[in-house]
Amino acid sequence: MTRQERRKRLAGLSFSEKVKILEKLRRRSLAIAASGLRRKSAGGVRNADQDSRPA
Amino acid sequence: MKTTLEMINRMQGDGVIGKYAIGGAVGATFYLEPSATVDVDIFAMLPKAGSSSLLSLAPIYEYLKAHGCDADGEHVVIGEWPVQFMAPSDVLEREALAEATETEIEGVKTWVMTAEHLVAIAIRTGRPKDHARILQFLEQDAVDTEKLNRVLAGHGLIAKWQQFKKKYRADTND
């Protein structure tokens, strides 16, 4: 499956299913932020909170 | 999210807020593939307090605090989600609220701004993350172009739209 096909498939899910994915993504972002991995990967130059705040 | 929306609907039923709609990244997810976000943006009509013409978010925070929710900066944490409440600040946002689409999440009724209003608000706001989201809407054919043009024209956003297209979509015929 190409990236475009995968995006189309995800966009076609029900809102409830998409929100469940949003919740998983949010928990993952919070776990990564809490672990400090973002800070390490950014070399400590940028603010870790800003790095972990997706658009 | 179910718990979050149940509490917001309860607050609406109790008259603390009027009509509301989900905007921002969660609203965009109604039309697009999910993309990570840390909060939920809720645009809500607020009843005016007494004879004052000023609108205040204080009743929302007081209501939610009384129902066990904690404030976290500009957000209130309801269930798992930090929620930012905003009163519509202009005609575009009031129109977006009035024309919001009714839907359900896990059996809970809610409202989401139309794709065209989400794009128009993003054009007006104009941050890089707003532009990235607009590109997603366009790439996935998730907007009605005629309706979008009407909304943009109605709110004086055509010039900003042209600038956006020149910057990001010079190679297309949109």
Side-chain angles (χ1 to χ4, degrees):
Chain A
M1 185 183 285
T2 66
R3 187 164 179 263
Q4 195 61 28
E5 286 169 340
R6 192 168 61 245
R7 290 178 69 183
K8 198 170 179 180
R9 187 184 66 79
L10 284 169
L13 294 174
S14 74
F15 197 24
S16 294
E17 289 171 308
K18 290 195 265 190
V19 166
K20 280 182 184 163
I21 294 171
L22 278 187
E23 288 172 338
K24 282 185 189 171
L25 289 171
R26 181 171 175 274
R27 286 189 204 114
R28 190 179 299 169
S29 292
L30 292 174
I32 290 170
S35 73
L37 286 175
R38 291 282 173 97
R39 192 187 303 273
K40 284 175 192 166
S41 66
V45 176
R46 294 168 64 192
N47 180 289
D49 286 341
Q50 286 176 349
D51 285 350
S52 66
R53 286 181 69 94
Chain B
M1 185 68 83
K2 186 180 181 187
T3 310
T4 309
L5 293 173
E6 282 172 342
M7 178 61 81
I8 294 170
N9 287 349
R10 187 173 166 185
M11 188 164 59
Q12 186 187 40
D14 287 341
V16 179
I17 59 171
K19 184 163 186 180
Y20 78 88
I22 305 172
V26 177
T29 295
F30 184 66
Y31 305 96
L32 307 171
E33 84 270 26
S35 54
T37 185
V38 293
D39 62 4
V40 185
D41 292 340
I42 299 287
F43 290 80
M45 297 303 288
L46 304 176
K48 285 181 184 168
S51 58
S52 169
S53 61
L54 293 175
L55 296 174
S56 167
L57 294 169
I60 294 176
Y61 293 103
E62 286 164 12
Y63 180 95
L64 292 171
K65 195 177 171 188
H67 285 79
C69 303
D70 293 321
D72 179 14
E74 59 194 0
H75 299 92
V76 183
V77 181
I78 310 175
E80 272 192 53
W81 284 90
V83 180
Q84 184 171 18
F85 289 94
M86 288 164 277
S89 61
D90 60 12
V91 179
L92 172 60
E93 289 179 359
R94 279 195 288 278
E95 181 182 284
L97 198 46
E99 296 184 14
T101 303
E102 185 178 324
T103 184
E104 282 188 0
I105 296 176
E106 295 180 72
V108 181
K109 186 165 80 170
T110 191
W111 291 265
V112 177
M113 289 182 173
T114 68
E116 294 75 22
H117 284 102
L118 287 168
V119 169
I121 290 170
I123 273 288
R124 191 192 56 187
T125 310
R127 298 165 299 183
K129 72 175 185 179
D130 297 303
H131 287 166
R133 193 173 299 147
I134 296 166
L135 288 171
Q136 280 182 281
F137 272 101
L138 298 177
E139 285 163 8
Q140 294 180 40
D141 287 328
V143 284
D144 175 331
T145 308
E146 277 186 31
K147 185 178 175 189
L148 176 62
N149 285 332
R150 278 202 305 276
V151 173
L152 292 169
H155 298 282
L157 293 168
I158 292 293
K160 276 198 166 188
W161 180 242
Q162 297 297 347
Q163 287 169 10
F164 171 85
K165 285 203 297 184
K166 190 175 174 186
K167 186 170 182 182
Y168 296 104
R169 308 275 291 177
D171 57 337
T172 70
N173 295 318
D174 290 346

